[in-house]
Amino acid sequence: TKKYLQENNVPTPRGTYFRKGTLDEAIIDYSRKLNYPLVLKPTDGASGKGVIANIKNEQDLMRAIKLVRYELGYREVILEEFAKGEDIRVYVVGEKVVGAIKREAPIVIGDGVNSIKQLIEIKNQERNQTPALSNNPIKIDQEVKNLVEDQGLKLNEILPKGKMIKIRNKSNISSGGDPYDVTDLLSDDMKRVSVDAVKAIPGLAQCGVDLLADFEENNATVIELNSRPSIRTHLYPKKGKARDIPKEIIDYYFPETK
């Protein structure tokens, strides 16, 4: 995918792919050619599993490699530069943007009573009230534990009232992210990048394009393409207008029924 995007001048982060048998040292050596922060992710993952974002130094990279390649078992990985921007999933059908969701990394806000672990449980109860989120509770895995510790805290610690902390760096809905509709906020340039990304892949008619969008600078970087994207967050955003993705898909394949 990165090769097709690069060949078609679609903006995408610098990075490369490492095979199963590649030594960890080779990945670390390559990292010295890139600019931190970095992202490590599996080539065959899904739903954000095994994606470690915002790796700030070599020590963090070694910890990420251990987690992704050995504890999670994703031996084939991509290492790439971390692109700044807001995480946007753009749904493209044909050459038309039909929906865009902003995904925010999960946070908890202290109430002075509950521990961080209990606040996560409360957040999961709230997620159960939204159809798009009900099957995706926030799991307290090693990534969550590491991030909490990096902020100088412990899971069983009571968070002071009003104090806000991140519990994941990534914002995939399946990992705990919250979806907000931003379709009407996308610039024409961002829409063009999304459509160009889909056109770069031969035979791809519809796609979920993952962008990191900088609204101040009006630019966007493509970090992933999803050929079988979920439509649920477009139908049930936490905030904003629902988008009728099924209608757009049916009208694309069966134009005579419009």
Side-chain angles (χ1 to χ4, degrees):
T1 303
K2 286 186 82 67
K3 184 176 175 229
Y4 277 118
L5 293 175
Q6 289 165 350
E7 287 176 352
N8 287 275
N9 298 314
V10 176
T12 191
R14 281 200 308 155
T16 196
Y17 151 76
F18 295 94
R19 297 180 184 279
K20 184 177 181 180
T22 305
L23 296 176
D24 297 343
E25 289 76 11
I27 300 174
I28 292 166
D29 284 344
Y30 176 76
S31 73
R32 294 169 185 147
K33 300 177 184 177
L34 301 176
N35 297 314
Y36 280 94
L38 302 176
V39 177
L40 184 73
K41 58 187 180 182
T43 59
D44 58 346
S47 303
K49 292 174 185 172
V51 178
I52 309 298
N54 204 19
I55 299 168
K56 292 177 178 165
N57 52 52
E58 204 164 285
Q59 184 179 354
D60 285 351
L61 176 57
M62 288 189 281
R63 187 166 72 173
I65 289 171
K66 180 182 176 185
L67 172 61
V68 176
R69 298 193 89 198
Y70 302 101
E71 293 178 28
L72 298 178
Y74 295 112
R75 297 302 299 273
E76 294 189 351
V77 295
I78 289 172
L79 184 69
E80 64 186 16
E81 291 179 343
F82 179 85
K84 293 180 181 179
E86 298 184 49
D87 182 14
I88 311 291
R89 160 63 63 83
V90 182
Y91 207 111
V92 176
V93 179
E95 296 190 14
K96 179 183 176 186
V97 169
V98 297
I101 288 288
K102 175 183 174 183
R103 300 176 294 189
E104 293 190 350
I107 60 166
V108 291
I109 301 173
D111 57 8
V113 176
N114 290 289
S115 69
I116 295 172
K117 184 177 181 181
Q118 289 169 324
L119 290 171
I120 293 173
E121 291 169 357
I122 292 168
K123 190 174 180 73
N124 280 335
Q125 291 169 12
E126 293 171 355
R127 288 173 70 82
N128 278 334
Q129 306 307 310
T130 302
L133 308 178
S134 58
N135 291 326
N136 295 113
I138 300 164
K139 296 176 182 175
I140 300 176
D141 55 18
Q142 194 60 48
E143 183 190 356
V144 171
K145 292 175 185 176
N146 288 345
L147 187 55
V148 170
E149 288 175 8
D150 288 346
Q151 295 171 89
L153 299 164
K154 294 182 179 178
L155 281 169
N156 59 3
E157 192 173 327
I158 292 174
L159 203 58
K161 188 171 183 177
K163 182 175 176 64
M164 181 181 75
I165 65 163
K166 264 188 179 184
I167 48 177
R168 278 199 199 282
N169 275 321
K170 61 193 177 196
S171 49
N172 301 66
I173 302 305
S174 54
S175 300
D178 292 322
Y180 303 92
D181 177 73
V182 293
T183 309
D184 296 333
L185 301 181
L186 288 192
S187 68
D188 290 341
D189 286 344
M190 291 175 182
K191 291 178 181 178
R192 178 183 51 77
V193 167
S194 303
V195 171
D196 286 350
V198 179
K199 287 167 68 177
I201 310 299
L204 189 57
Q206 61 168 332
C207 183
V209 181
D210 289 345
L211 296 180
L212 286 172
D214 186 333
F215 285 92
E216 289 185 7
E217 298 292 329
N218 189 29
N219 61 43
T221 304
V222 177
I223 54 170
E224 187 173 291
L225 299 182
N226 299 269
S227 59
R228 294 180 299 166
S230 167
I231 64 174
R232 59 188 174 170
T233 52
H234 298 280
L235 299 175
Y236 296 102
K238 191 170 181 181
K239 288 181 184 175
K241 183 180 177 181
R243 304 290 169 169
D244 195 351
I245 305 298
K247 173 188 180 301
E248 299 290 348
I249 295 170
I250 293 168
D251 285 352
Y252 176 79
Y253 285 106
F254 304 98
E256 71 279 3
T257 69
K258 281 186 181 181

